[in-house]
Amino acid sequence: EKYGVNINGTDICELRAIDYADENGHYNVVEYLLQNGIMDNLKEDSKFLTSKFPEVKLFSKSINSYEDLYNFSIENNEEFWRTLALNRLEWFKEFDKVNNGLDFNDYENYEHKWFINGKINVSVNCVDRHYKKNPNKTAVIWDKDEPGTEQYVTYSELYKLMNKFSNMIRHFNVKKGDSVIIYLPTSLYAIAAMLACARIGAVHSVVFGGFSSESLASRIQNCQAKIVITSNQGVRGGRFIEFKQTVDTAIETCPFVEHVLVYKRTDNPFQVNKDKDIIIDDIIDTFPDECEPEIMDSNDPLFILFTSGSTGKPKGLVHSNAGYLLQASLTQQLVFNYDCEKDVFGCLADIGWITGHSYVVYGTLCNGGTTVLFESTPTYPDPSRYWQTVERLKINQLYLAPTAIRLLIKHGDEWLKKHDKSSLKCLGSVGEPINVEAWNWFYEKVGEKRCKIADTWWQTETGAHCITPLPCGSNDILKPGMAMRPFFGIQLALMDQNGNESDTKHIEGMLCIKKPWPSMAMTVFGDDQRFKETYLKPYRGYFFTGDGAFFDNDGHIKITGRVDDVMNVSGHRIGTAEIENILSEHPDVAESAVVGVPHELTGEAVFAYIVLKETQKSEQEIFKQLKNLVKKKIASHAIPNTILVTPNLPKTRSGKIMRRILRKIASNQIEDLGDLSTISESNVIEEIIQSFRSMS
Ligand code: WTA
């Protein structure tokens, strides 16, 4: 019999009942339930299954709800991930063990190892297998900056381009394990470059195009990349962005860079450095369109992505091949109820962020879907851009950041009315807490009360969604502004002020994750110690996310925002310390303190307090110089919105800046400061309040 149920005694009977196989060797009830809307019709599905395959016994504890399947995924965690990994991914060699069994308790020795001894290639999973089955299916729709100039790319075309690209970078001596920096606009060549690296086992690090040459240089140095892939220019919002120039400046301090591979996004001329520059367009077609994929271990690094933390320079988080790909693709499909055969997935993030990696590129392509690459802005050429793109490309799932929603609300509802949004089935929000007003507008005006919203919480560190409702295609309940519930296999904990795990109802605390999950970052590139100290040390036995959360009476989760010194401006993470370090470089600045304050459009805005030395310069002149400095050294999105000069900064006895108080003042919550007379620094605080009042 092909469809056998393997029941091995009483204890594991429940477990084994899900483990029956089809002709291909892999198929099981969990997978079936996951793919067919978990919350609805489970009883019906069970009936169908048992009638079709009478030998299948469903677990005696029947799965009838999200809770049942969630509990199953926690109680049988290895089994859960094992069956999914076998069913969903194509392996050269299957793994022997799901993971190494380590948890976060002995964090000094923690090693992230999943799907041990499995051999796999991500590009084969994302392209080859779909190309073989369905060569003419659209893999990518590149929605270029100028509306109406979109380019459709089939799996066959993507396969060939990726392979030529792979052969090309191999030709320039890139080998398995080498780092490659990708500094490209969201474009077809960016996807090809990422997949090409994955194919030959090179570790890519995509740097967001908004970062300055100094930020880029520090990332190139950190990875010791031999190759930088860029374009002559980018085109965004009708304007040209000088990618190549930024790279040229950056590599002045990176003599080890052997080649800069340049893709011509525009016809405009640019400076070519004969020693190093290679023009991709001139040579790519000379390379064969077949390229043998490298056989990668599950736990080989797939990419490095830099992100800001509360201290020091941004860290390069390293993601694995197998675990990352599994959870990115599983969530892409389940959370958005994505129909891999037909749907057009519109994740509008830049590929330079983790959202672009997991949901524009890897998750969607691994599922054989059609992904939209959005090169433009929400307001180019006018604020109807998103809606006309939905209509033009017939997008079925729209996934974006609350900042964009708030911006578009300001422009008014007229822009929405002209466009047919009936293709939309499901909406998603990511990157920052979504306020109730934005949620309601998204639901009513964009989704026309027909599409539900998945408010997905996750991080660069988590690789894929960890908290989200599963609203689409089911009757899962929703509460505006709430990320609701842990995804399958994810166990959360809330820690109280004393560092103890608290009950998970009606309580606010620090959000932690209890057990490792497949798509968790493996380490910080070149600094495993920092990884452990940042994430595993603060609460022994737990992974600390840096976010605060509130669990309501039903145990549903609301993310309240960062509890560390990380700000979130328009969904972009910035460390307060990163900006302070730069402000303090200015010759007239004695000291500085940066805090995030609520902002109606960008979620948070950067507010800088500075203490000046004796100077002849005017404050306005200094402010201008400081803003330029931040732009030059980091990026435009890190520029302080407000700078306030104060005579002093309040500090604790051990010399720490009292940020909580500074944040309250900057947010104009002065009455919340309580009785100042008990604070030793009360005079300093009074002075700051004075300065704040005279400013506003
Ligand atoms: C925040 C982006 C509230 C959070 C995927 C997290 C959110 C940081 C949500 C990670 C959400 C992300 N609700 N806050 N749905 N999603 N965040 O690494 O503070 O760029 O720690 O990853 O964004 O930002 P990152």
Side-chain angles (χ1 to χ4, degrees), residues 30-284:
V30 169
E31 177 77 350
Y32 182 87
L33 297 177
L34 286 172
Q35 281 179 3
N36 288 279
I38 302 116
M39 256 54 66
D40 291 340
N41 306 330
L42 276 177
K43 282 195 180 126
E44 287 309 306
D45 287 344
S46 317
K47 268 190 223 144
F48 161 78
L49 273 171
T50 36
S51 66
K52 186 152 178 216
F53 310 120
E55 61 278 45
V56 169
K57 293 216 174 50
L58 291 172
F59 356 99
S60 51
K61 206 190 324 163
S62 62
I63 289 185
N64 287 315
S65 62
Y66 159 87
E67 279 78 15
D68 290 348
L69 190 50
Y70 175 77
N71 291 338
F72 178 84
S73 75
I74 299 301
E75 285 155 22
N76 310 290
N77 197 256
E78 280 191 21
E79 201 60 22
F80 178 77
W81 290 117
R82 187 182 74 79
T83 47
L84 290 167
L86 291 176
N87 278 301
R88 302 183 71 90
L89 301 181
E90 188 172 308
W91 300 86
F92 297 125
K93 177 184 160 285
E94 289 179 359
F95 50 92
D96 318 327
K97 268 179 84 181
V98 173
N99 58 38
N100 57 7
L102 294 182
D103 60 21
F104 301 137
N105 280 308
D106 180 17
Y107 75 85
E108 288 92 344
N109 294 312
Y110 180 73
E111 256 192 300
H112 193 74
K113 294 257 183 285
W114 279 70
F115 309 118
I116 291 168
N117 290 327
K119 302 294 171 207
I120 195 166
N121 187 289
V122 167
S123 79
V124 169
N125 276 276
C126 290
V127 186
D128 299 31
R129 55 179 179 159
H130 314 304
Y131 154 70
K132 283 182 196 143
K133 230 172 80 187
N134 232 338
N136 296 324
K137 176 168 183 189
T138 303
V140 177
I141 309 174
W142 176 17
D143 195 42
K144 299 188 197 180
D145 192 50
E146 214 48 59
T149 61
E150 66 273 13
Q151 182 181 345
Y152 282 73
V153 183
T154 63
Y155 271 97
S156 160
E157 289 163 334
L158 184 62
Y159 176 79
K160 289 178 181 149
L161 179 64
M162 165 185 81
N163 283 334
K164 288 180 189 175
F165 215 110
S166 308
N167 287 318
M168 178 178 69
I169 54 178
R170 253 191 194 151
H171 173 82
F172 291 107
N173 204 20
V174 179
K175 298 195 190 63
K176 181 173 175 175
D178 287 348
S179 307
V180 170
I181 292 277
I182 299 177
Y183 186 69
L184 275 172
T186 298
S187 56
L188 177 59
Y189 273 66
I191 285 204
M194 291 165 80
L195 292 167
C197 289
R199 192 162 192 88
I200 69 164
V203 184
H204 65 65
S205 182
V206 183
V207 178
F208 170 59
F211 279 115
S212 68
S213 57
E214 292 205 20
S215 295
L216 176 60
S218 83
R219 286 157 171 79
I220 299 173
Q221 285 158 5
N222 191 307
C223 299
Q224 289 289 303
K226 290 193 290 191
I227 299 274
V228 177
I229 305 174
T230 190
S231 61
N232 62 332
Q233 291 181 308
V235 192
R236 203 156 175 268
R239 291 189 315 173
F240 296 121
I241 302 159
E242 303 301 332
F243 275 73
K244 174 66 166 54
Q245 260 175 33
T246 307
V247 171
D248 287 346
T249 315
I251 62 168
E252 281 169 14
T253 55
C254 310
F256 48 86
V257 170
E258 291 167 15
H259 295 292
V260 176
L261 271 53
V262 190
Y263 151 60
K264 290 202 264 189
R265 171 65 186 87
T266 69
D267 295 329
N268 296 331
F270 57 100
Q271 179 116 27
V272 178
N273 171 350
K274 290 222 161 54
D275 299 338
K276 289 200 173 173
D277 296 354
I278 312 285
I279 311 300
I280 296 175
D281 314 58
D282 293 350
I283 59 164
I284 184 135

Side-chain angles (χ1 to χ4, degrees), residues 307 354-355 429-434 455-461 483 545 547 559 561-562 568 571 573:
T307 192
I354 191 70
T355 308
S429 168
V430 59
E432 30 168 346
I434 179 166
D455 177 1
T456 60
W457 176 90
W458 59 299
Q459 316 177 291
T460 309
E461 290 83 346
T545 65
D547 278 300
I559 306 294
R562 299 292 304 199
N568 191 327
R573 275 168 70 165

Side-chain angles (χ1 to χ4, degrees), residues 563-598:
V563 291
D564 54 5
D565 295 320
V566 173
M567 296 170 291
N568 191 327
V569 179
S570 304
H572 303 336
R573 275 168 70 165
I574 315 162
T576 52
E578 270 175 83
I579 301 179
E580 285 164 7
N581 290 342
I582 285 162
L583 299 179
S584 305
E585 279 178 27
H586 190 284
D588 298 315
V589 173
E591 240 188 334
S592 68
V594 168
V595 294
V597 294

